[in-house]
Amino acid sequence: MRVDWYIHSNHSSDASQSIYDILKNIREKKFEIISITDHDSVSAYDELYDKFYSILHEDSFPILIPGIEHN
């Protein structure tokens, strides 16, 4: 099973990967479970649900477990 529990997006100060790029990469690499764990922020999930809600419910989309890296 391919799982990534520790993905930072451009919603963290130390990352530059956009939500779109994350979604593209995880689908290409066939991850089954992911968690976006930005620093002290869950704003990536707002963007996910606002812009990408339709693909979050496709059969081919990985399980998404909300996370945060709290400092």
Side-chain angles (χ1 to χ4, degrees), residues 23-60:
L23 296 178
K24 182 180 169 193
N25 289 334
I26 62 171
R27 290 182 97 172
E28 287 173 359
K29 295 176 181 175
K30 298 182 177 16
F31 277 92
E32 296 174 60
I33 302 172
I34 65 158
S35 182
I36 297 174
T37 53
D38 289 323
H39 291 279
D40 299 315
S41 174
V42 291
S43 61
Y45 292 99
D46 292 335
E47 182 178 347
L48 263 171
Y49 290 108
D50 287 347
K51 294 183 180 177
F52 302 103
Y53 184 80
S54 61
I55 67 164
L56 294 176
H57 297 286
E58 291 180 11
D59 291 337
S60 63

